[in-house]
Amino acid sequence: MAMYVYKDSRRTIEFLAEDALKQDMVIRYYCPNPNCNAHMYLCGVDGLSTAHFSANRQAFPHIEKCDYGTSNGFKPDNSDENSFDFEMALENMLNPTKATKKDKLPNTHKTGESNLKPLRTIRQIYDMCIAHSCTQTYNNKVIGKMLLDDRSEYMYPKGVFGYRIIKSKPKTGGFYNTNEKEIHLVAPSSEKYEFF
């Protein structure tokens, strides 16, 4: 699911799902992945679900492993954006889990409470970040300040500091240092930064 697309093939004119109208449903848009020629169309603007873009024409699907294809499981209607805290979510992943106590008889009569939960796994947060433009926000946090990838590289002119999800790849010729027992990664595709 994509929350944004491009109006032009050169991918210079960004178009957000939140700005779309019903008459935009018949227009073909371009996948945010510059290597993917999927034909993207507006969906969900009729109110049944959150407006989004999808490559729903069989003749023009996403390329294999495209971040905006079916592997992206982000659905805004299935999570609580207002209770999402990026730093807290990553801190919780670093802490050992505590055993939870389950009620013997679950209370099935709770009313008025939302069953929605904030994003809590790296995959959920990554899918949400990929679905949005790096300049958009999710609970007032800029997407590019949560995910370092090709789109957000310009937001890191002096380095990468603090908690971030980083889309990286193994360093060519020196992926694993056996003496130090370190894995070396580079990001984004320009290989501007090295992590180990």
Side-chain angles (χ1 to χ4, degrees), residues 84-92 141 145-146 163-164:
F84 175 72
D85 181 323
F86 179 69
E87 284 79 17
M88 185 65 68
L90 292 186
E91 280 182 29
N92 288 338
K141 179 84 170 171
K145 293 298 182 177
M146 291 187 268
Y163 289 132
R164 300 290 184 271

Side-chain angles (χ1 to χ4, degrees), residues 103 105-112 115:
D103 292 335
L105 296 172
N107 184 356
T108 57
H109 298 290
K110 289 182 182 179
T111 57
N115 290 334

Side-chain angles (χ1 to χ4, degrees), residues 36-125:
C36 180
N37 193 34
H39 291 204
M40 304 287 285
Y41 290 89
L42 178 65
C43 303
V45 78
D46 55 8
L48 297 175
S49 64
T50 302
H52 63 281
F53 296 96
S54 177
N56 53 14
R57 305 300 197 270
Q58 285 186 346
F60 301 99
H62 289 283
I63 60 172
E64 188 176 342
K65 297 185 181 179
C66 179
D67 283 328
Y68 303 92
T70 55
S71 64
N72 187 324
F74 176 68
K75 292 182 175 62
D77 298 331
N78 293 348
S79 61
D80 183 3
E81 179 176 346
N82 294 326
S83 27
F84 175 72
D85 181 323
F86 179 69
E87 284 79 17
M88 185 65 68
L90 292 186
E91 280 182 29
N92 288 338
M93 288 180 219
L94 297 173
N95 295 330
T97 58
K98 298 174 187 169
T100 57
K101 204 176 193 181
K102 291 188 177 184
D103 292 335
K104 291 181 183 178
L105 296 172
N107 184 356
T108 57
H109 298 290
K110 289 182 182 179
T111 57
E113 291 183 31
S114 172
N115 290 334
L116 298 178
K117 294 182 177 156
L119 304 174
R120 57 180 171 63
T121 68
I122 288 177
R123 182 61 194 217
Q124 290 171 338
I125 298 169

Side-chain angles (χ1 to χ4, degrees), residues 83-193:
S83 27
F84 175 72
D85 181 323
F86 179 69
E87 284 79 17
M88 185 65 68
L90 292 186
E91 280 182 29
N92 288 338
M93 288 180 219
L94 297 173
N95 295 330
T97 58
K98 298 174 187 169
T100 57
K101 204 176 193 181
K102 291 188 177 184
D103 292 335
K104 291 181 183 178
L105 296 172
N107 184 356
T108 57
H109 298 290
K110 289 182 182 179
T111 57
E113 291 183 31
S114 172
N115 290 334
L116 298 178
K117 294 182 177 156
L119 304 174
R120 57 180 171 63
T121 68
I122 288 177
R123 182 61 194 217
Q124 290 171 338
I125 298 169
Y126 176 80
D127 283 349
M128 177 276 297
C129 288
I130 287 294
H132 291 88
S133 164
C134 69
T135 57
Q136 286 182 281
T137 61
Y138 189 81
N139 197 22
N140 300 315
K141 179 84 170 171
V142 176
I143 299 299
K145 293 298 182 177
M146 291 187 268
L147 173 67
L148 167 61
D149 63 359
D150 291 341
R151 305 169 306 154
S152 63
E153 177 182 2
Y154 74 93
M155 295 179 174
Y156 299 89
K158 296 184 179 182
V160 183
F161 307 99
Y163 289 132
R164 300 290 184 271
I165 295 175
I166 301 170
K167 186 174 182 180
S168 62
K169 63 183 180 181
K171 182 178 180 182
T172 306
F175 171 63
Y176 183 70
N177 181 328
T178 53
N179 295 333
E180 300 293 325
K181 295 187 169 92
E182 294 174 336
I183 295 173
H184 290 249
L185 304 169
V186 289
S189 51
S190 68
E191 301 186 8
K192 182 176 183 177
Y193 298 110

